[in-house]
Amino acid sequence: MIYMNISHWFLPHKDTHQKATLISWEGMVIYILLFMLLQVSFHIAGFLSPGILGTSSNITQAQIIELTNKEREKVGLAPLVANTALDTAAKDKAANIFSENYWAHFAPSGKTPWDFILGSGYKFSFAGENLAKNFYSPDEVVRAWMDSSTHKENLLNPRYKDIGIAVEDGILNGQKTTLVVQMFGTTTAFANIPTVKVAGQNLTVSKQEYESTPALVASVQSNFTIKPLMDPYIITKSFGTAVVVLVAALLILDFIVIKRRGVYRISSHHWGHMTFLAASALLILKSSPGSIL
């Protein structure tokens, strides 16, 4: 009796030929609930032990600048020149994101992207900012920016002459995070009113803001050495892949068993399962732990 009950989870019912529980719609609900439980567990773990979760990246300033200039050269634009003041602005922006624990262009305290640029001593006529977090490689970062129309506009803006990059590790929302801050600027007088391009919008900087010198934020410490014990993205991707493989295997097994029993059974449920598998596999393949702003 116990054997029969267990077998129903994996094999179609012996008498009714009803699908195995693990490929029924009830089974789909179980997978969704397990996924939700996994995500809740990540949040709890991040809250109780900040830094235990996170990604480990292999990104440098030089690589981001090189890849950025390669994209500019493809469309005939001059390469950007590394600027130490913009590097400082980018590092201070990263430090502020970690210290105030936010993921946005504008800080909860009201600090703006140009506060960090002006605070570094860089007087611009036109400037911009791109942000990225939790990518594994520099190629992934620049590719993500290029795939976004607003970030691509920033990266390929002919007005910019200088670039500053910060690649910093810290704790964000309980997880070890690698931030990449990309600052653009030019001191050439393209416009009478200083402008900053953020998230596709050209934002003007008031005369009072431009002429004042915001207080600098302490830079991120270079000796940050936290190594996460678990990567939530890898765990989630592994779980999703396991579910897709399990469902596919059980569907094949269901077909073989039913055929041997001489039962013909093709229904809309088959197409539902195939759609679920295809959509899940596509999401897993295209998923990434990284995000951009």
Side-chain angles (χ1 to χ4, degrees):
M1 187 67 171
I2 295 177
Y3 169 78
M4 291 295 293
N5 290 334
I6 294 177
S7 68
H8 290 165
W9 284 84
F10 302 95
L11 299 172
H13 196 280
K14 183 178 180 180
D15 299 319
T16 64
H17 308 299
Q18 184 179 359
K19 285 185 177 297
T21 303
L22 289 178
I23 54 173
S24 66
W25 292 114
E26 292 85 351
M28 301 302 110
V29 172
I30 292 174
Y31 300 137
I32 293 172
L33 290 176
L34 287 174
F35 177 80
M36 293 173 62
L37 178 62
L38 187 63
Q39 299 306 308
V40 170
S41 298
F42 288 152
H43 286 292
I44 294 174
F47 176 77
L48 295 178
S49 301
I52 192 174
L53 302 174
T55 58
S56 294
S57 302
N58 183 26
I59 303 171
T60 66
Q61 288 178 298
Q63 290 170 326
I64 297 294
I65 293 175
E66 179 185 0
L67 292 171
T68 296
N69 280 332
K70 282 184 178 180
E71 295 297 338
R72 290 176 66 86
E73 289 167 7
K74 287 178 184 178
V75 295
L77 293 175
L80 299 171
V81 178
N83 183 279
T84 55
L86 288 179
D87 283 344
T88 299
K91 287 178 70 68
D92 290 341
K93 177 58 177 281
N96 185 249
I97 289 175
F98 286 130
S99 64
E100 294 193 38
N101 197 44
Y102 68 96
W103 176 236
H105 287 289
F106 296 86
S109 62
K111 288 185 175 66
T112 67
W114 53 89
D115 281 339
F116 302 98
I117 298 174
L118 293 173
S120 71
Y122 188 91
K123 295 294 185 180
F124 63 89
S125 58
F126 207 83
E129 176 184 87
N130 282 341
L131 302 176
K133 68 173 181 175
N134 284 341
F135 286 91
Y136 292 116
S137 70
D139 303 81
E140 290 177 328
V141 175
V142 176
R143 191 183 310 122
W145 282 334
M146 289 297 293
D147 288 340
S148 164
S149 60
T150 56
H151 294 81
K152 182 179 179 179
E153 284 178 16
N154 244 352
L155 201 140
L156 301 182
N157 196 318
R159 296 181 174 181
Y160 300 140
K161 303 297 180 184
D162 303 319
I163 186 172
I165 300 293
V167 181
E168 304 292 343
D169 291 336
I171 301 297
L172 186 63
N173 295 323
Q175 295 191 18
K176 183 266 183 181
T177 301
T178 298
L179 291 179
V180 180
V181 181
Q182 186 178 49
M183 296 285 196
F184 305 99
T186 181
T187 56
T188 307
F190 281 104
N192 293 325
I193 302 175
T195 307
V196 179
K197 196 173 188 67
V198 178
Q201 294 184 321
N202 289 317
L203 305 175
T204 58
V205 180
S206 68
K207 183 178 179 180
Q208 180 181 358
E209 289 178 294
Y210 190 78
E211 292 179 348
S212 64
T213 303
L216 286 174
V217 179
S219 296
V220 177
Q221 296 298 315
S222 60
N223 60 350
F224 188 87
T225 57
I226 287 181
K227 293 183 179 180
L229 297 179
M230 295 180 287
D231 187 330
Y233 169 71
I234 296 298
I235 295 174
T236 302
K237 189 170 185 177
S238 299
F239 173 77
T241 301
V243 169
V244 169
V245 171
L246 174 63
V247 173
L250 290 177
L251 282 173
I252 294 172
L253 183 61
D254 177 86
F255 176 78
I256 294 173
V257 171
I258 290 298
K259 186 177 180 180
R260 286 182 176 177
R261 292 177 182 174
V263 179
Y264 179 79
R265 184 183 69 190
I266 295 292
S267 67
S268 60
H269 293 300
H270 288 82
W271 296 111
H273 284 99
M274 295 305 295
T275 301
F276 169 80
L277 284 177
S280 299
L282 183 62
L283 286 173
I284 291 171
L285 288 174
K286 297 190 71 174
S287 65
S288 169
S291 60
I292 58 176
L293 277 177

